[in-house]
Amino acid sequence: MKWGYGSKSRCRQSSVVAVAEETEGIDEVFVESCWANLPLELLREVLMRIEDTESKWPLRKSVVACSGVCRSWREIMKELVKTPEVSGKLTFPISVKQPGPRDTLLQCFIKRNQTTQTYHLYLSLTQALADDGKFLLAARKYRKATCTDYAISLDANETSKGGGTCIGRLRSNFLGTKFTAYDSILPYAGAKLVKSRSTRLVGSKQMYSRVPAGNYEVAHISYELNVLGASRGPRRMHCVMDAIPASAIKPGGIAPTQVDFPMGNSGSSLPMRFLRSKSSRLEKSLSGPIETQREGSLVLKNKAPRWHEQLQCWCLNFHGRVTVASVKNFQLVASPENGAAGPEHEKVILQFGKVGKDMFTMDYRYPLSAFQAFAICLSSFDTKIACE
């Protein structure tokens, strides 16, 4: 009887599971067809109004929610939601890898936690210097004997270098004077790939990242040695943006734009579009050898501050976005190395400054992305033995 009872129970359990799975399948088909069969004209009009009215966070989460309803909704939302370059809005996670707006600075701020050695980037929701903000990126500092690493992640709580949400990293030399920023996604055709393990070991199991672990060099940041001592002047920065052509800052210039995160697994990776070529000229420039791309890379330098006689300090005009004097404060503009000086060389492309003990503002514009700007600002946090 014991074995007979057990067999009977297993049969009943199997039938219940089968019915449940069948019902679940019917529900999924019903939901999919229910939403997918709406007239496209009506659906597009509804989604267009949602995209227009819910223009700021936290209301903008409705736009993200609509893109997750079904396939037809998602495809329409991808068409309606423009890149930050055009709309000035950060909507989907891929937005942090896309260039910012051309005409205005996108205002963000960074919160530092010195205990955990973590840094969190937020999008400013108001003009106030201290608001809650919309979370964008997180980074964690890893000290090594010969260098310092910063792992940059899409998840505020998962900042390990081998995590599935890690989208890039920053590495310094021993002196903290030179940094290299790496992207986990191919930023442009011919980008230099630095060999790295794409998997990690946890216990005895091999884990694979959801985002393929690539190490493509996208920026080189250097700080000039200060032989006069810390009190003789501010830091001098020099940034070579390997992923951005120098022509991007000129009128009509174009910077590479990533359109999606390629998702990978242990067996294969899904084919995804890495770049959106907006013209044949851009496509041609990205198809050349890496040396050609490096020679034409955008070069940024820090804007020289002026000495204020009355205050007896170096000053820069941050237009109220920076309130605390710090050697970390800087503004980056296009270097004369990019060609003849013009109006585009006067525009501040990235500014970073202190507003509290562990609070800093970060404002950026085209052709930098939030990810690239964040990586540059992280280099300012690192201790520089030979510069101070």
Side-chain angles (χ1 to χ4, degrees):
M1 292 299 295
K2 179 179 180 181
W3 290 105
Y5 178 80
S7 300
K8 185 176 180 180
S9 298
R10 284 195 296 270
C11 292
R12 292 186 60 186
Q13 183 179 5
S14 300
S15 61
V16 172
V17 172
V19 172
E21 291 178 349
E22 183 179 357
T23 304
E24 182 179 355
I26 294 174
D27 290 341
E28 290 180 355
V29 172
F30 174 78
V31 171
E32 178 71 18
S33 62
C34 176
W35 295 112
N37 290 333
L38 286 176
L40 289 181
E41 295 78 7
L42 176 61
L43 178 58
R44 180 178 291 273
E45 181 67 24
V46 172
L47 295 182
M48 187 180 299
R49 292 190 179 186
I50 294 176
E51 204 281 331
D52 290 338
T53 56
E54 313 297 328
S55 59
K56 295 182 179 180
W57 290 94
L59 297 177
R60 197 149 181 81
K61 63 183 179 182
S62 299
V63 177
V64 180
C66 288
S67 66
V69 172
C70 65
R71 186 178 295 106
S72 59
W73 285 50
R74 182 162 57 252
E75 292 301 322
I76 294 176
M77 290 307 298
K78 287 173 67 176
E79 295 178 8
L80 295 178
V81 177
K82 305 301 181 183
T83 62
E85 174 190 350
V86 178
S87 64
K89 304 171 186 175
L90 299 177
T91 305
F92 301 119
I94 192 61
S95 299
V96 299
K97 289 290 191 76
Q98 298 173 337
R102 289 180 178 265
D103 300 327
T104 59
L105 286 168
L106 205 55
Q107 296 183 346
C108 307
F109 62 91
I110 299 173
K111 289 184 179 180
R112 175 181 61 181
N113 188 322
Q114 299 189 55
T115 303
T116 60
Q117 294 290 286
T118 55
Y119 307 82
H120 292 81
L121 174 66
Y122 297 87
L123 175 67
S124 297
L125 303 182
T126 65
Q127 294 297 322
L129 295 179
D131 58 19
D132 293 335
K134 169 68 177 70
F135 171 80
L136 298 177
L137 291 169
R140 184 177 178 182
K141 185 176 183 178
Y142 294 89
R143 292 185 180 274
K144 296 185 177 181
T146 58
C147 65
T148 300
D149 271 356
Y150 292 85
I152 304 175
S153 172
L154 290 168
D155 192 337
N157 301 315
E158 175 57 63
T159 53
S160 61
K161 291 187 288 185
T165 57
C166 184
I167 61 172
R169 64 188 180 93
L170 179 74
R171 170 168 288 186
S172 75
N173 64 351
F174 174 73
L175 296 177
T177 57
K178 294 183 179 181
F179 296 79
T180 303
Y182 300 91
D183 198 333
S184 63
I185 305 175
L186 180 70
Y188 60 91
K192 181 180 179 182
L193 174 63
V194 179
K195 293 183 179 180
S196 171
R197 295 180 180 178
S198 60
T199 61
R200 68 188 190 279
L201 290 177
V202 179
S204 59
K205 297 182 179 180
Q206 194 174 35
M207 307 296 292
Y208 292 82
S209 299
R210 285 179 288 172
V211 177
N215 283 314
Y216 299 96
E217 296 181 353
V218 293
H220 289 81
I221 308 136
S222 60
Y223 292 81
E224 291 186 15
L225 298 177
N226 190 351
V227 296
L228 299 177
S231 61
R232 298 298 181 180
R235 294 172 176 172
R236 295 182 180 180
M237 299 175 62
H238 186 268
C239 303
V240 179
M241 308 304 299
D242 300 272
I244 304 175
S247 59
I249 62 171
K250 298 179 181 179
I254 298 173
T257 303
Q258 299 176 9
V259 296
D260 223 330
F261 286 112
M263 304 303 289
N265 53 38
S266 58
S268 62
S269 58
L270 299 177
M272 304 293 285
R273 294 175 298 164
F274 290 155
L275 301 170
R276 174 182 288 137
S277 299
K278 298 184 178 179
S279 69
S280 58
R281 180 165 58 90
L282 173 63
E283 187 173 356
K284 182 178 179 181
S285 67
L286 295 182
S287 61
I290 184 65
E291 291 77 15
T292 304
Q293 181 71 18
R294 276 180 172 271
E295 290 175 1
S297 297
L298 176 66
V299 179
L300 304 177
K301 68 168 187 175
N302 65 302
K303 189 174 183 179
R306 61 181 180 85
W307 179 257
H308 199 291
E309 289 293 341
Q310 295 180 346
L311 299 177
Q312 290 294 298
C313 65
W314 296 96
C315 295
L316 279 171
N317 185 7
F318 288 93
H319 301 282
R321 290 287 293 166
V322 177
T323 58
V324 180
S326 173
V327 70
K328 296 179 176 64
N329 301 346
F330 67 81
Q331 290 179 327
L332 292 185
V333 296
S335 172
E337 299 176 38
N338 298 304
E344 61 272 10
H345 289 76
E346 298 298 324
K347 286 185 178 180
V348 174
I349 296 176
L350 171 63
Q351 68 177 19
F352 171 78
K354 192 172 185 179
V355 293
K357 180 181 178 181
D358 291 304
M359 182 79 74
F360 303 80
T361 56
M362 186 198 87
D363 304 336
Y364 74 99
R365 63 154 37 102
Y366 188 91
L368 290 184
S369 66
F371 166 75
Q372 294 165 339
F374 189 39
I376 294 174
C377 293
L378 287 175
S379 71
S380 185
F381 284 110
D382 204 51
T383 302
K384 292 155 184 58
I385 300 175
C387 296
E388 302 174 354

